[in-house]
């Protein structure tokens, strides 16, 4: 609705400076049309904010007649009184529940002190934001004035906005590090583009562009598609996409998540390519203060910020309150931009708190729906952010109902019907794992839908602006949402490119948290180091990259961190981290020729750093496995392994789940994930009565047990598995394979019990390739398919190879034919080497109760065990003899190859092949049909490459 400025003849009286000695103020936000008329005290600085709504016209005219300054705020929802008019003159703030939340809003008792001061500052901000003067828009600047002519075709627009025009000279005419701080929506992407273009075209070096999460690599990759068309080589690197090492080496620009870039830094195969990077563009650099993403980013920037690194850092940041401090740490020039293409107004509409969590969630959902309906009624687009996927589905359904959709019988977990009913009234959903996420993005951009309900994925830079943003929750999963994330969400409102002159942002709060949020948003976001929470991980990473070799060098590294720059000068945490890494087997210590202390990473340390596994979590897993009883069967082993991983990996422990699904999880646990056994429960066999209550980690346990024991449930069309939505299971299925792979790789190192390495390797492959529905024992065949696919073609070639093999009865990689299957991407020499490095020819012979002999490929190791005790012997010259360790309990042996294959004795033979039995280990002559085999190649070569830990290149 358009603003209605005060008539020209009405002049606002000069206001008293807020907080001045002796000042009396009485400031009102009136949003409820049914609220009683306020009393207007005399001799006070009185100001009133009203909605730009005809229902308030009479009140507005009355206030103006009484010489009370009034300003109009469209979509005003806050009911608030900030006043120092009282007997003691103290500043107080009184608030009320949002009138959209219930017919008769509750009023809350006035409070003083810091909450009142924050409310005064927030009122003052809104007051000045809505000053009734025409804002003359800043004129765009033709890009050709500041940008070389041959670069213009790489830019998305022929003009630069004022923010870009201010920053571009610093990007193009200087070589120093830069920190560009600008409000969200100011067009920082173009600034990053120009930094990359200068590095690639002028300097002939690579540029790396870091973004905080996977979805943003997709967004940026789309924006850079025209660069590919013009001959620049752009490679996207994120956890969802396999890496073609050769293409990465040849690329001009890398687009990567911070974690993926750090993983590349830790890998040996790309070290030379990293030396060619001349510019590091860090999007959303203020996420240094994020507890999850900040530590990795800080460690990376501490490494490259020095002049000696040869890398220019260009940080792109939202507005932060300590920008000068961050710039000083980066040794960067601070470019602070105040211009924003549209006016943003944020509010904190209130719902009543309650000890009943369900009531509060319902109130938040109703209020989010009511706000959305208001804005959309004026043909505005709305983004609604929720703290969980379940919240997204429920909120979208309620908004759809408010827009006239028939939701009778539609459950939030009936994903297909949910999508259809919401889409029919212009409501889209967006979260990781939602099948229609990309469709929703496109439709919202094109305004085919005008409401998009999403998780926080969209907050950090994905270019989906709207007229209004509604943040339904103050928590994401189990964690409180941080100020930076809220500011990013708010920044989606009224962004340039949507034809909007104004943006509206609403964070729904209850009365107990309103004051704190108002103070945080008024003060702005300060970036604080988070690296101490995972300090050991980063010390190990520096050691693996051969940047630190001694305690003295570690201390020099610590001095370069943001934590030290912000005053954390104690060396005690660093020394404790090094001591832990040594005690846990990640580092070895010694002395140099001068007697000074030195350390170096162990093979376990290298594996852990390169797979980005937390050192503390890894140590807990290894300790728990070492103390676990030796299983007697595959089912027992998988149950034990799954329980430990599910309860010791925090992301699995904390995997979010709605209350309504916890019962289904406990039922799945009662039957070890065997969906067929759920029928017994439905027939009332008494299982239901004995169910345990839900505990943290149970979702992960249930998910992995279903996958282990009912893999057919994970077909491509699966939506609900055993009563639990596949979307709820998805985070578990994404996180678990990394830890299982880490454990599986340790068979070669002897740092976990051999049984655990075999079971983890098999289970990890089955989780990773769950859409193939592999059963127990499929791990080795899937490993072979991965090796033949090569990293660049994993996602397409592995399913094709698996389907071709299993269709022809192939159950393991133990075939004798030397011709290559059709979908194999290895060359002839590579395929011959792969055949040689399998465990196919391994022979394990237990001579007596005391010793065992083994033959196998070079670079392999023989592991033997007695109960919990195990030992490792390398195969030298293709053979080894080992004695069983002293102790009590069953004995056994396994051979692990350097490339990641394995064979074992006893019940572990069930992991040899799909449906294998102890006597069923004979090579198959020609397992593939003629159409799947190339002409036979030459016999395998005799020499083996040097040993390298599988999966760490």
């Amino acid at each position: 609705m358009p603003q209605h400025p005060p008539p020209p003849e009405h002049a606002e009286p000069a206001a008293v400076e807020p907080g001045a000695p002796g000042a009396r103020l009485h400031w009102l936000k009136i949003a409820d049309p049914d609220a009683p008329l306020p009393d207007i005290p005399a001799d006070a600085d009185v100001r009133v904010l009203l909605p730009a709504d005809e229902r308030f016209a009479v009140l507005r005219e009355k206030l103006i007649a009484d010489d009370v300054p009034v300003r109009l705020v469209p979509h005003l929802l806050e009911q608030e009184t900030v006043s120092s008019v009282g007997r003691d003159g103290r500043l107080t703030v009184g608030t009320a529940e949002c009138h959209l939340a219930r017919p008769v809003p509750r009023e809350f008792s006035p409070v003083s002190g810091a909450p009142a001061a924050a409310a005064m500052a927030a009122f003052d901000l809104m007051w000045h934001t809505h000053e009734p003067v025409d804002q003359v828009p800043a004129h765009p600047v033709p890009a050709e004035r500041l940008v070389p002519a041959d670069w213009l075709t790489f830019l998305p627009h022929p003009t630069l906005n004022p923010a870009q025009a201010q920053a571009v000279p610093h990007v193009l005419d200087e070589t120093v590090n830069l920190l560009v701080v600008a409000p969200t929506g100011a067009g920082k992407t173009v600034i990053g583009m120009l930094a990359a273009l200068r590095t690639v075209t002028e300097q002939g070096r690579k540029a790396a562009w870091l973004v905080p999460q996977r979805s943003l690599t997709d967004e940026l990759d789309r924006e850079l598609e025209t660069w590919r068309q013009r001959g620049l080589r752009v490679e996207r690197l994120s956890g969802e996409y396999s890496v073609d090492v050769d293409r990465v080496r040849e690329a001009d620009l890398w687009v990567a998540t911070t974690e993926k870039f750090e993983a590349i830094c830790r890998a040996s195969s790309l070290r030379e390519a990293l030396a060619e990077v001349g510019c590091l563009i860090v999007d959303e650099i203020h996420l240094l203060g994020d507890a999850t993403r900040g530590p990795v980013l800080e460690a990376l920037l501490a490494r490259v910020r020095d002049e000696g690194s040869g890398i220019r850092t260009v940080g792109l940041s939202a507005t932060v309150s300590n920008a000068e401090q961050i710039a000083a740490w980066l040794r960067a020039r601070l470019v602070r931009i105040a211009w924003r293409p549209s006016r943003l107004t944020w509010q904190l509409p209130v719902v009543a708190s309650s000890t009943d969590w369900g009531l509060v969630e319902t109130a938040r959902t109703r209020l989010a729906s009511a706000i959305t309906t208001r804005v959309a009624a004026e043909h505005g687009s709305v983004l609604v952010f929720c703290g969980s996927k379940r919240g997204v589905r429920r909120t979208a359904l309620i908004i759809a109902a408010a827009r006239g959709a028939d939701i009778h019988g539609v459950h939030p977990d009936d994903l297909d019907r949910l999508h259809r009913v919401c889409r029919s009234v212009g409501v889209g959903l967006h979260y990781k794992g939602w099948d229609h996420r990309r469709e929703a993005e496109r439709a919202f951009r094109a305004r085919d839908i005008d409401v998009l309900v999403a998780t926080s994925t969209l907050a950090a830079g994905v270019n989906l602006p709207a007229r209004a943003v509604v943040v339904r929750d103050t928590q994401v999963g189990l964690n409180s949402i941080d100020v930076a994330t809220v500011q990013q969400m708010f920044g989606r409102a009224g962004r340039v490119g949507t034809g909007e002159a104004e943006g509206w942002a609403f964070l729904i709060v209850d009365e107990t948290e309103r004051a704190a949020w108002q103070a945080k948003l008024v003060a702005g976001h300060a970036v604080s180091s988070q690296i101490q929470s995972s300090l050991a991980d980063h010390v190990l990473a520096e050691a693996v990259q051969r940047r630190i070799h001694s305690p003295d060098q570690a201390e020099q590294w610590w001095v370069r961190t943001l934590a030290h720059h912000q005053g954390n000068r104690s060396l005690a945490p660093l020394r404790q981290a090094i001591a832990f890494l040594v005690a846990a087997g990640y580092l070895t210590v010694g002395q140099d020729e001068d007697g000074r202390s030195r350390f170096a990473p162990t093979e376990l340390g290298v594996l852990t750093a390169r797979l980005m596994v937390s050192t503390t979590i890894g140590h807990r897993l290894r300790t728990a496995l070492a103390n676990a009883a030796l299983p007697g069967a595959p089912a027992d082993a998988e149950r034990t392994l799954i329980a430990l991983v599910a309860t010791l990996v925090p992301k699995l422990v904390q995997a979010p789940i709605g209350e309504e699904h916890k019962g289904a999880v406990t039922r799945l646990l009662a039957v070890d994930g065997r969906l067929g056994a759920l029928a017994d429960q439905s027939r009332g066999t008494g299982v239901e009565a004995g169910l345990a209550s839900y505990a943290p980690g149970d979702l992960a346990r249930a998910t992995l047990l279903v996958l282990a024991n009912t893999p057919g449930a994970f077909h491509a069309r699966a939506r609900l598995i055993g009563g639990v939505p596949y979307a709820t299971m998805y985070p578990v299925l994404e996180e678990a394979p990394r830890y299982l792979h880490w454990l599986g790789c340790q068979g070669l190192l002897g740092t976990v019990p051999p049984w655990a390495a075999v079971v983890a390797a098999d289970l990890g492959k089955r989780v990773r390739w769950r859409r193939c529905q592999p059963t127990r024992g499929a791990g080795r065949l899937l490993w072979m398919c991965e090796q033949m696919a090569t990293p660049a073609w994993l996602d397409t070639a592995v399913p094709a190879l698996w389907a071709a093999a299993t269709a022809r009865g192939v159950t393991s990689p133990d075939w004798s034919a030397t011709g290559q299957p059709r979908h194999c991407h290895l060359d002839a020499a590579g395929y011959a080497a792969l055949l040689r490095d399998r465990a196919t020819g391994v022979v394990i012979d237990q001579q007596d109760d005391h010793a065992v002999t083994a033959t196998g490929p070079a670079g392999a190791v023989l592991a033997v065990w007695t109960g919990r005790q195990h030992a490792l012997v390398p195969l030298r010259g293709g053979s080894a003899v080992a004695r069983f360790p002293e102790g009590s309990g069953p004995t056994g042996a396994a051979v692990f190859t350097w490339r990641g294959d394995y064979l074992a004795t006893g019940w572990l033979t069930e992991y040899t092949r799909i449906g294998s039995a102890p006597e069923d280990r004979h090579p198959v002559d020609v397992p593939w049909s003629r159409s799947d085999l190339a002409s036979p190649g030459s016999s395998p070569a005799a020499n083996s490459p040097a040993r390298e830990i599988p999966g760490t290149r």
Side-chain angles (χ1 to χ4, degrees):
M1 188 172 291
Q3 288 195 6
H4 304 281
E9 64 272 13
H10 173 70
E12 295 183 2
V16 179
E17 181 70 20
R24 292 192 347 137
L25 59 83
H26 194 72
W27 295 351
L28 305 171
K29 295 178 184 175
I30 303 175
D32 185 357
D34 298 321
L37 293 176
D39 294 326
I40 304 300
D43 302 322
D45 172 15
V46 180
R47 309 181 191 183
V48 179
L49 291 168
L50 292 176
D53 188 317
E54 291 303 324
R55 291 177 298 173
F56 293 85
V58 173
L59 174 59
R60 173 176 169 267
E61 295 301 329
K62 179 181 184 303
L63 292 170
I64 291 174
D66 292 338
D67 291 327
V68 175
V70 176
R71 291 184 183 172
L72 302 182
V73 181
H75 307 300
L76 181 66
L77 298 180
E78 294 178 311
Q79 187 81 16
E80 183 180 72
T81 300
V82 182
S83 180
S84 61
V85 176
R87 284 179 295 179
D88 56 8
R90 286 190 305 165
L91 185 71
T92 62
V93 58
T95 59
E97 191 176 9
C98 180
H99 67 281
L100 298 181
R102 73 169 79 207
V104 183
R106 288 175 49 188
E107 293 189 2
F108 307 115
S109 300
V111 294
S112 59
M120 183 181 71
F123 187 104
D124 193 56
L125 176 64
M126 187 180 291
W127 182 260
H128 289 291
T129 297
H130 290 270
E131 188 173 359
V133 295
D134 292 332
Q135 294 186 351
V136 179
H139 294 291
V141 177
E144 61 188 12
R145 292 185 188 175
L146 300 173
V147 177
D150 53 349
W151 296 4
L152 296 176
T153 57
F154 291 94
L155 301 182
H157 306 289
T159 59
L160 303 175
N161 68 33
Q164 295 159 353
Q166 179 183 343
V168 164
H170 298 286
V171 173
L172 300 186
D173 300 337
E174 301 172 2
T175 58
V176 297
N177 293 343
L178 291 179
L179 177 62
V180 181
V181 176
T184 302
K188 293 189 288 290
T189 298
V190 169
I191 299 170
M193 286 180 170
L194 289 169
L197 282 170
R198 183 188 183 195
T199 303
V200 173
T201 61
E202 279 191 0
Q203 301 172 352
R205 301 185 67 185
K206 298 182 189 299
W209 196 324
L210 307 189
V211 295
Q213 55 196 42
R214 292 179 184 179
S215 61
L216 307 189
T217 64
D218 296 339
E219 178 72 24
L220 187 56
D221 191 66
R222 283 193 295 269
E223 293 193 42
L224 296 173
E225 181 58 36
T226 58
W227 290 29
R228 294 189 181 94
Q229 297 169 7
R230 289 170 173 79
L232 290 186
R233 295 164 295 186
V234 180
E235 281 298 315
R236 171 178 48 186
L237 312 173
S238 76
E240 287 184 300
Y241 299 94
S242 303
V243 173
D244 183 332
V245 173
D246 291 333
R247 287 180 60 179
V248 171
R249 287 195 185 107
E250 295 168 0
D252 299 307
L253 172 62
W254 300 340
V255 176
T257 59
T258 305
E259 288 75 15
K260 189 70 171 184
F261 186 78
E262 176 64 9
I264 289 173
C265 290
R266 298 179 185 188
S268 59
S269 56
L270 288 169
R271 194 160 289 150
E272 292 181 2
L274 282 166
E276 299 176 26
V277 174
C279 183
L280 187 67
I281 302 150
V282 185
D283 223 336
E284 313 292 353
I285 197 173
H286 54 270
L287 290 178
L288 278 164
D290 181 81
T292 302
R293 299 185 177 97
V296 173
L297 180 57
E298 180 177 345
L300 195 159
L301 290 174
R303 190 182 310 138
V304 303
R305 73 186 181 94
D306 291 329
E307 295 177 3
S309 72
I311 299 176
R312 183 192 195 192
T313 299
V314 176
L316 308 176
S317 174
T319 303
V320 295
S321 58
N322 61 334
E324 292 86 356
Q325 184 185 55
I326 303 304
W329 174 64
L330 290 170
R331 295 177 177 158
R333 183 185 304 282
L334 175 61
V335 181
R336 191 189 292 275
I337 295 167
W339 178 85
R340 194 182 193 278
S342 60
R343 180 170 67 182
L344 176 67
T345 302
W346 56 264
Q347 300 181 60
L348 304 176
V350 181
V351 297
S353 64
S354 172
T355 55
D356 187 333
W357 177 83
L359 285 178
V360 178
E361 184 186 38
T362 299
R364 289 179 185 272
T365 302
R366 282 202 310 263
L367 183 51
S369 175
I371 297 171
T372 300
T373 300
R374 273 197 165 205
V375 176
E378 297 182 357
H379 308 291
S381 54
V382 187
L383 275 172
V384 183
F385 288 107
C386 301
S388 67
K389 297 175 183 179
R390 171 73 175 173
V392 168
R393 297 193 293 271
R394 291 189 59 182
T395 303
L397 197 59
I398 295 301
I399 292 173
R403 308 186 97 192
D406 180 6
I407 66 169
H408 180 72
V410 180
H411 193 273
D413 296 326
D414 186 347
L415 303 187
D416 291 331
R417 291 187 67 192
L418 173 68
H419 170 64
R420 287 196 298 271
V421 74
C422 289
R423 189 66 172 82
S424 70
V425 290
V427 178
L429 291 79
H430 190 290
Y431 58 77
K432 185 176 181 180
W434 176 250
D435 287 348
H436 309 285
R437 181 175 66 173
R438 300 288 179 246
E439 174 194 334
E441 285 185 24
R442 290 191 294 270
F444 194 73
R445 282 195 186 92
R447 293 299 181 255
D448 293 333
I449 61 175
D450 57 353
V451 176
L452 187 61
V453 189
T455 54
S456 60
T457 305
L458 286 184
V462 173
N463 189 24
L464 288 180
R467 180 176 297 179
V469 165
V470 181
V471 183
R472 195 198 77 160
D473 300 310
T474 53
Q475 285 194 303
V476 176
L478 300 177
N479 301 316
S480 296
I481 197 169
D482 59 82
V483 180
T485 300
V486 171
Q487 288 177 326
Q488 288 172 330
M489 292 175 179
F490 282 6
R492 303 298 106 195
R495 294 191 68 176
V496 68
T498 61
E500 304 286 358
E502 295 187 273
W504 311 95
F506 306 89
L507 173 64
I508 298 174
V509 296
D510 68 41
E511 81 268 22
T512 66
E513 58 189 1
R514 185 176 194 274
W517 271 109
Q518 202 164 43
K520 290 176 186 177
L521 290 168
V522 167
H525 171 60
V527 174
S528 299
S529 170
Q530 303 292 322
I531 200 169
Q532 289 201 52
S533 64
S534 53
L535 187 55
D537 297 352
H538 304 295
V539 172
L540 178 62
E542 297 302 307
V544 167
Q545 295 173 73
R546 305 173 188 171
R547 297 179 183 277
I548 59 176
H549 304 88
S550 68
D552 289 344
Q553 290 177 340
E555 291 174 11
Q556 293 169 14
W557 168 81
W558 172 248
V559 169
R560 297 195 295 271
T561 63
L562 177 61
H564 187 274
H565 185 77
Q566 291 184 324
N568 297 308
R569 304 298 169 84
S570 172
L571 296 174
L574 178 66
R575 291 167 181 162
Q576 291 169 2
I578 294 172
F580 162 74
L581 292 171
V582 172
Y586 298 112
L587 292 179
T588 58
V589 293
Q591 292 183 335
D592 62 16
E593 56 188 16
D594 296 323
R596 290 173 299 195
S597 179
R598 306 280 288 180
F599 55 68
T602 62
E603 289 183 312
L604 175 63
V606 171
L607 174 71
T608 303
R610 291 184 177 171
L611 292 183
M612 304 284 285
V613 167
S614 161
T615 54
T616 53
I617 297 170
H619 182 59
R620 290 172 191 153
L621 278 171
R622 290 178 53 235
T623 301
L625 285 167
N627 293 327
L630 181 66
D636 296 336
E638 290 177 4
R639 192 181 303 111
T640 297
L641 182 63
I642 287 170
L644 291 177
V645 171
T647 55
L648 293 176
V649 177
K651 284 188 178 180
L652 300 182
V653 174
Q654 299 166 9
I657 181 172
E659 289 291 327
E660 66 280 6
H661 296 130
K662 291 181 177 178
V665 166
T666 56
R667 286 189 288 273
L668 287 173
L669 290 175
V671 295
D672 272 354
R674 302 177 190 277
L675 296 188
L678 287 177
D680 293 338
Q681 293 183 1
S682 64
R683 289 194 294 268
T685 58
V687 177
E688 186 79 23
L691 292 179
S693 58
Y694 184 90
D698 279 357
L699 172 61
R701 285 178 57 214
T703 299
L704 296 176
L705 282 170
V706 173
L707 190 138
N709 295 320
T710 318
F714 290 85
H715 55 82
R717 295 180 301 280
R719 295 293 182 271
L720 200 67
I721 298 175
V724 181
Y726 177 77
T728 299
M729 293 178 166
Y730 184 79
V732 172
L733 298 168
E734 285 292 288
E735 183 70 11
R738 178 156 53 104
Y739 286 89
L740 292 171
H741 179 53
W742 176 75
L743 290 170
C745 289
Q746 292 181 62
L748 191 68
L749 308 182
T751 46
V752 296
W755 71 263
V758 171
V759 175
D762 186 80
L763 184 60
K765 300 298 184 196
R766 289 150 60 195
V767 177
R768 169 68 178 85
W769 301 106
R770 56 192 174 274
R771 291 306 196 187
C772 296
Q773 304 171 60
T775 58
R776 181 179 298 148
R780 293 186 63 231
L781 180 57
L782 286 168
W783 165 84
M784 190 70 171
C785 292
E786 288 180 345
Q787 298 292 310
M788 291 189 293
T790 73
W793 302 95
L794 277 179
D795 293 340
T796 55
V798 168
L801 286 161
W802 169 266
T806 54
R808 292 159 179 82
V810 177
T811 59
S812 78
D814 302 324
W815 56 79
S816 59
T818 56
Q820 292 178 233
R822 182 174 55 186
H823 300 287
C824 178
H825 287 269
L826 293 170
D827 59 20
Y831 183 67
L834 174 62
L835 294 180
R836 179 191 63 229
D837 295 330
R838 298 173 298 174
T840 300
V842 165
V843 175
I844 301 173
D845 182 19
Q846 185 170 339
Q847 297 176 327
D848 51 37
D849 293 337
H850 305 290
V852 62
T853 62
T855 58
V861 298
L862 169 63
V864 293
W865 62 89
T866 303
R868 295 180 183 175
Q869 306 301 314
H870 59 94
L872 203 70
V873 177
L875 270 66
R876 302 189 187 281
S879 65
V881 179
R883 295 186 64 81
F884 291 113
E886 297 292 332
S888 60
T891 59
V895 169
F896 298 93
T897 73
W898 74 270
R899 198 159 178 165
D901 199 8
Y902 48 84
L903 283 177
T905 63
W907 57 264
L908 285 171
T909 56
E910 291 198 32
Y911 294 99
T912 300
R913 64 175 67 243
I914 301 170
S916 62
E919 67 279 2
D920 184 23
R921 268 195 51 226
H922 301 291
V924 180
D925 288 335
V926 186
W928 304 67
S929 72
R930 292 180 183 272
S931 62
D932 286 313
L933 286 172
S935 58
S938 58
S939 58
N943 297 323
S944 172
R947 164 171 165 171
E948 181 168 341
I949 303 167
T952 65
R953 297 190 66 190

